[in-house]
Amino acid sequence: MKRYCRIARQIVACGLAVGSGLLVSGKDAYAQVSFGIPEKFNEEWLFQLGDEEASYRPEYADSTWRHLSLPHDWSIEGTYSPDLASGTGYLPGGIAWYRKHFNHRTSDAPEKTYIYFEGVYNRSDVYVNGHHLGNRPNGYVSFMYDLTPYLKEGDNVVSVRVDHSRYADSRYYTGSGIYRDVYLVKSPATHIAQWGVGFETESVKGKKAKVKARVAVENPVEGLTVRISLIDDSGKTVARASGKASDSCILTMEVPDARLWSLDSPYLYTLRTDLLRDGMSMDSSEIPVGIRTLGFDPDTGFFLNGKNMKVKGVCIHHDAGALGAVVPEEVWQRRLRRLKELGVNALRMSHNPQAPAVYDIADRIGLLIMDEASDEWEFPKRKWIKGWNKGKPGYDGSYDFFEEWIDCDVADMVRRDRNHPSVFLWSIGNEVDYPNDPYSHPVLDGNNSAISQPMYGGYNPDAPDAMRIGEIAKRLAKVVKGIDTSRPTTGALAGVVMSNETAYPEAVDIVGYNYTEDRYDLDHKAYPDRVIYGSENRSDYNAWKAVRDKDFIFGQFIWTGIDYLGESGAWPSRGLYTGLLDFAGNPKPRGQFRASLWSDTPVTYIGTYPKPRRGDWLSIDAWDSWNYEPGEEIRVVCYTNSPKARLLLDGEIVGDIKDKDDATGIIHWDIPFAPGRLMAEGIGENGDVESSYTVATSGRPYAITVSADRDSFEKAGDVAHVFINIVDENGIPVKLADNEVTVRINGLAELLALESGDNSDMGNYRDNRQRVYRGKLLGYVKALEAGPVVITVTSPLLKSACLNLK
């Protein structure tokens, strides 16, 4: 009997409790602790790069330390250097301390006060008034400490030591410091437990849904009642249940006329949880929730709410180029919406839990998420120092705290993120089975043509035994299932041939294949009960066709959705340049090509390059430039989801209607260059023009234009994207321009960074001068207070531009 994994339960979106009962929305909701009253604790911190042991003492003299607000990443403030590791983007690490003084009045204090960190990279130790609260080596997990026993009347001091001295401990950029939000959480002694509210959909029949909530209580006492209420977006309570409070209780509700969360209509209810004693609320939380069902089948793939669909996913990292690891919500919002516009419907958190804001946005706009625990298990992987796969690697990493912390780290990922309707897969690890990096198995010996990956040699009996992978996978899958059985477990396998000799594939519910599309048919036949998908894939067309044309492969995750720092090539190279979006969040040609494969709305794009003199290749990386030598033979490639296309120059047909070639996914013409406006039209089967794309020949750089994605700053902390472009005297974008511009801010705002998108530019992105790249530059401007701001952009010999934000 074939295995059929029909998942029909899901958990709520992020949890955050508010004692007043009012829903905390936006950024304030990201604490996710699901109890008490959380307040941001980001302002007026002190920072010192360097390690002085006495820094934990409350009386330590810190008056000369740097003043800053969190979140903060000190690595991105460093200087790119070829003497540093390519794996983390040629940026430094180190050891640093953070301190914060705050006033505490015992008479006004609640029974409990906690401090909650969304993420500290890495190996952090936290103190309050000289008392060591604990350490957390994992830099991606969220964690909390109880301050209550150590607080005193008056001045109190929190001190945090962050040890990123082993800075080349990752294959990609991590950042350094307290790079996510921090909260103080105040509550009664008896309260809802941390991440203690969960919501599942048990079944959906017609318009009715049966849902349940699991509620855990910290320090329960006699006479407590838990009451849950489901509230629709109009504020109406549509279902309610109550029961006796305990360490963990389960309450069930029937929801009439249930509206389901989906990618096209990401409807969110609110789940209110009240902890009552004698009818009075002691603690409460309000959490956005979604009702939806998941289904997986080894022959027919994936079902969301009973509807069969392909997962069109991308892998993303947690940095944003020039901003490093501190990424404002507005930046994630723009990036994820851009990806969705290209047809992306799923994200893979490669390869660790990410900022809560990312999950919240995915819940709201309708994206699926594959959450992932780690990139390394009990032994270190190769970390490249002089360029990707170049020279001698390093071996720092997270392996040294694996045994002590991995169960807790995985459990905390699931508890924190289980409430998001966007999360549909739990991944316990990425490429932990890469052949001989570090595990080995006799199947690697000899000339094994079935293995497509580099193996760093054949079987190495002195290397760790690959059979360990299966045992660890069983252990971690059990941790996940102990908390959440509503979603399947998975792992991203890099060495499928080797892993098939172990218990790894059977330890997880669904098996991800990294770059091994050639194994799909073979393993579907050999393991007919196995649910298979592409957990990491190239952007090439054939990798997608392997998904499109096989019912049993439910989707893929492209490497990558967005360019990211680290995993760099040889100097100069900030990062890996494989994204559908560039560092600035702009679609690259390969992003436009992906839209032609994935988008449900008509799209057309044209890119150009000189006709190849050797070979006859078609590029998915052709930029939309139309400036060449007169008469030069130019190849024009068209990416469109229309069945046909034609090419026009100044309204005259220069490329006859051609059918889309299913062998390449591209339509192309070879024409002699002549200046003008080049336009491709995507044409439907009925002959109608469905979409078009135009690129024009430009003159020399003449002027700067500047615009933004907002008209005003409404409050402190608001972030604007400022778009800077170079145009010729006719207003045509000059896509070959590389002018250096200077940006000046007048008003209560600060320039966070200028992002060009150029991977080979190793200069300073955090001052107010930067070269444009392909005629563009993106500025990030953050409001210090609400109020008017004037942004002026200048460059020698160019007409300047000015933007007023009210």
Side-chain angles (χ1 to χ4, degrees):
M1 180 178 179
K2 70 182 182 180
R3 180 176 68 175
Y4 183 76
C5 179
R6 176 68 68 181
I7 311 275
R9 289 174 291 176
Q10 72 67 236
I11 309 235
V12 292
C14 79
L16 179 67
V18 190
S20 65
L22 297 176
L23 177 64
V24 176
S25 60
K27 296 180 180 180
D28 290 339
Y30 297 160
Q32 292 190 301
V33 292
S34 76
F35 77 93
I37 302 176
E39 300 173 352
K40 277 193 175 174
F41 203 54
N42 288 342
E43 303 304 317
E44 299 179 2
W45 283 76
L46 303 170
F47 172 75
Q48 181 73 25
L49 185 59
D51 189 20
E52 187 167 338
E53 184 180 354
S55 298
Y56 75 95
R57 296 176 180 172
E59 67 275 13
Y60 179 83
D62 54 19
S63 60
T64 61
W65 285 24
R66 174 184 169 188
H67 292 250
L68 53 74
S69 296
L70 302 179
H72 175 243
D73 170 11
W74 81 71
S75 285
I76 199 64
E77 298 175 346
T79 301
Y80 292 100
S81 170
D83 296 327
L84 298 172
S86 61
T88 50
Y90 298 103
L91 283 165
I95 300 176
W97 283 84
Y98 296 84
R99 286 167 59 91
K100 179 176 171 64
H101 296 259
F102 64 102
N103 189 57
H104 177 77
R105 294 181 61 183
T106 305
S107 59
D108 297 336
E111 294 176 285
K112 287 285 188 178
T113 302
Y114 301 87
I115 189 168
Y116 179 84
F117 295 87
E118 286 188 348
V120 182
Y121 204 91
N122 64 346
R123 303 176 188 269
S124 64
D125 286 271
V126 181
Y127 304 80
V128 63
N129 296 329
H131 299 277
H132 186 235
L133 299 175
N135 72 293
R136 199 63 186 260
N138 190 317
Y140 294 100
V141 299
S142 302
F143 56 94
M144 185 172 70
Y145 298 120
D146 185 357
L147 300 180
T148 314
Y150 313 108
L151 295 177
K152 60 185 178 67
E153 187 76 22
D155 184 59
N156 291 258
V157 184
V158 169
S159 306
V160 183
R161 181 180 187 266
V162 184
D163 181 358
H164 194 199
S165 56
R166 285 166 277 195
Y167 79 102
D169 59 350
S170 174
R171 299 189 295 159
Y172 41 85
Y173 181 81
T174 62
S176 301
I178 307 177
Y179 68 104
R180 295 180 187 163
D181 287 329
V182 180
Y183 289 81
L184 275 189
V185 183
K186 299 177 181 180
S187 76
T190 297
H191 56 78
I192 301 167
Q194 179 187 357
W195 305 322
V197 178
F199 173 91
E200 300 182 15
T201 305
E202 286 198 334
S203 63
V204 175
K205 295 181 179 179
K207 292 186 177 181
K208 294 183 179 180
K210 185 177 181 180
V211 301
K212 67 180 180 183
R214 301 173 184 268
V215 182
V217 177
E218 189 80 14
N219 301 317
V221 295
E222 289 295 324
L224 285 181
T225 300
V226 170
R227 183 180 67 201
I228 57 172
S229 306
L230 195 66
I231 304 165
D232 67 16
D233 62 0
S234 71
K236 179 183 177 182
T237 298
V238 297
R240 179 169 284 172
S242 61
K244 183 179 180 180
S246 63
D247 291 337
S248 181
C249 65
I250 300 175
L251 301 172
T252 303
M253 297 182 289
E254 298 280 349
V255 185
D257 297 320
R259 295 184 61 179
L260 303 186
W261 183 94
S262 67
L263 303 183
D264 295 327
S265 181
Y267 187 86
L268 295 173
Y269 291 90
T270 298
L271 179 70
R272 180 181 173 92
T273 304
D274 285 290
L275 187 60
L276 304 171
R277 189 172 189 179
D278 298 327
M280 299 294 291
S281 179
M282 297 182 63
D283 193 16
S284 65
S285 72
E286 290 194 355
I287 301 168
V289 304
I291 300 174
R292 57 101 170 103
T293 65
L294 305 174
F296 297 84
D297 183 85
D299 292 324
T300 54
F302 171 61
F303 298 80
L304 178 62
N305 299 326
K307 181 181 178 180
N308 189 234
M309 60 174 286
K310 293 291 187 181
V311 170
K312 303 170 182 177
V314 294
C315 303
I316 62 171
H317 285 268
H318 77 293
D319 73 275
L323 294 173
V326 178
V327 187
E329 180 190 0
E330 294 94 334
V331 176
W332 275 122
Q333 180 90 7
R334 175 174 174 266
R335 287 175 161 221
L336 298 193
R337 287 195 178 279
R338 280 290 180 92
L339 288 173
K340 188 162 185 177
E341 289 168 1
L342 297 180
V344 172
N345 63 20
L347 310 171
R348 177 189 178 205
M349 303 310 201
S350 31
H351 302 289
N352 302 92
Q354 298 204 23
V358 183
Y359 304 80
D360 292 330
I361 295 167
D363 290 341
R364 295 196 300 266
I365 71 174
L367 287 169
L368 295 168
I369 286 178
M370 171 181 166
D371 218 359
E372 193 154 66
S374 66
D375 187 47
E376 190 168 84
W377 282 359
E378 61 181 349
F379 295 103
K381 292 180 179 179
R382 290 171 169 83
K383 316 293 191 314
W384 300 104
I385 307 299
K386 296 299 181 183
W388 188 65
N389 283 353
K390 301 288 185 182
K392 184 179 179 181
Y395 289 94
D396 282 337
S398 60
Y399 65 94
D400 60 305
F401 56 81
F402 174 85
E403 189 59 36
E404 179 182 359
W405 284 101
I406 190 60
D407 288 24
C408 182
D409 289 344
V410 170
D412 284 353
M413 174 188 76
V414 177
R415 288 192 183 100
R416 192 196 75 169
D417 297 340
R418 63 180 173 157
N419 299 331
H420 292 276
S422 55
V423 175
F424 81 125
L425 289 174
W426 298 120
S427 172
I428 59 175
N430 171 65
E431 294 189 349
V432 296
D433 62 332
Y434 208 96
N436 285 317
D437 188 18
Y439 295 97
S440 196
H441 188 279
V443 74
L444 303 178
D445 223 0
N447 184 20
N448 194 333
S449 60
I451 299 177
S452 58
Q453 307 101 325
M455 293 186 293
Y456 305 108
Y459 172 53
N460 179 5
D462 296 326
D465 185 354
M467 301 306 286
R468 284 282 299 155
I469 301 171
E471 297 307 309
I472 294 172
K474 290 179 183 178
R475 167 184 163 188
L476 299 185
K478 184 178 179 181
V479 171
V480 174
K481 295 296 186 184
I483 301 166
D484 179 32
T485 58
S486 74
R487 304 172 179 86
T489 56
T490 188
L493 277 60
V496 176
V497 172
M498 184 175 76
S499 286
N500 282 342
E501 303 295 319
T502 76
Y504 190 3
E506 293 305 313
V508 293
D509 301 309
I510 292 173
V511 186
Y513 284 39
N514 284 15
Y515 308 106
T516 45
E517 294 88 358
D518 59 322
R519 298 294 309 178
Y520 288 170
D521 289 319
L522 292 170
D523 283 9
H524 180 58
K525 182 178 180 179
Y527 310 100
D529 294 339
R530 182 179 294 180
V531 182
I532 302 173
Y533 70 103
S535 44
E536 189 171 314
N537 308 86
R538 295 174 299 275
S539 292
D540 65 85
Y541 183 49
N542 288 333
W544 168 241
K545 289 175 71 176
V547 177
R548 185 196 69 181
D549 299 340
K550 301 181 191 299
D551 290 341
F552 65 91
I553 301 297
F554 72 74
Q556 68 171 191
F557 289 88
I558 291 173
W559 193 264
T560 56
I562 313 171
D563 289 342
Y564 62 96
L565 299 176
E567 212 163 34
S568 305
W571 178 275
S573 170
R574 286 194 288 159
L576 200 59
Y577 205 57
T578 58
L580 303 185
L581 306 181
D582 65 15
F583 287 112
N586 298 316
K588 294 161 60 179
R590 62 177 49 204
Q592 304 283 5
F593 177 69
R594 189 57 42 173
S596 75
L597 305 179
W598 284 1
S599 178
D600 294 328
T601 59
V603 295
T604 296
Y605 168 88
I606 47 174
T608 68
Y609 50 94
K611 180 183 177 182
R613 296 183 179 181
R614 296 181 181 179
D616 193 29
W617 47 275
L618 297 175
S619 175
I620 66 170
D621 294 311
W623 292 93
D624 57 346
S625 174
W626 192 237
N627 282 70
Y628 295 95
E629 293 296 323
E632 184 180 1
E633 198 74 5
I634 302 301
R635 173 152 292 178
V636 181
V637 289
C638 175
Y639 315 148
T640 181
N641 55 7
S642 296
K644 306 171 187 291
R646 67 182 172 193
L647 189 66
L648 301 95
L649 181 63
D650 290 335
E652 299 293 327
I653 295 175
V654 292
D656 292 333
I657 293 176
K658 286 188 176 183
D659 293 330
K660 188 172 181 177
D661 183 2
D662 192 57
T664 65
I666 296 174
I667 299 171
H668 80 281
W669 304 267
D670 294 329
I671 64 171
F673 171 75
R677 297 180 67 85
L678 189 69
M679 180 174 68
E681 294 178 333
I683 299 173
E685 294 290 0
N686 60 3
D688 292 341
V689 175
E690 296 179 331
S691 60
S692 64
Y693 192 92
T694 301
V695 57
T697 306
S698 68
R700 294 181 179 276
Y702 173 77
I704 302 167
T705 67
V706 59
S707 61
D709 61 350
R710 64 190 312 144
D711 296 325
S712 62
F713 289 122
E714 298 176 0
K715 63 183 183 303
D718 284 348
V719 174
H721 292 82
V722 177
F723 309 108
I724 299 166
N725 292 273
I726 306 299
V727 298
D728 68 10
E729 59 183 347
N730 295 314
I732 297 173
V734 183
K735 299 188 177 183
L736 301 180
D738 64 350
N739 305 72
E740 182 179 87
V741 302
T742 299
V743 178
R744 293 182 175 87
I745 308 294
N746 185 11
L748 293 172
E750 63 177 330
L751 180 65
L752 297 178
L754 292 170
E755 177 56 75
S756 69
D758 185 357
N759 186 44
S760 63
D761 186 341
M762 310 300 285
N764 184 358
Y765 288 83
R766 302 180 70 83
D767 62 9
N768 70 333
R769 295 195 305 170
Q770 180 63 46
R771 286 192 176 277
V772 302
Y773 182 61
R774 300 191 180 276
K776 296 181 180 179
L777 186 66
L778 174 66
Y780 299 106
V781 177
K782 180 181 178 180
L784 302 176
E785 292 183 14
V789 172
V790 179
I791 302 169
T792 305
V793 187
T794 61
S795 181
L797 305 180
L798 297 183
K799 186 177 179 180
S800 62
C802 187
L803 177 67
N804 291 284
L805 299 181
K806 301 175 183 178

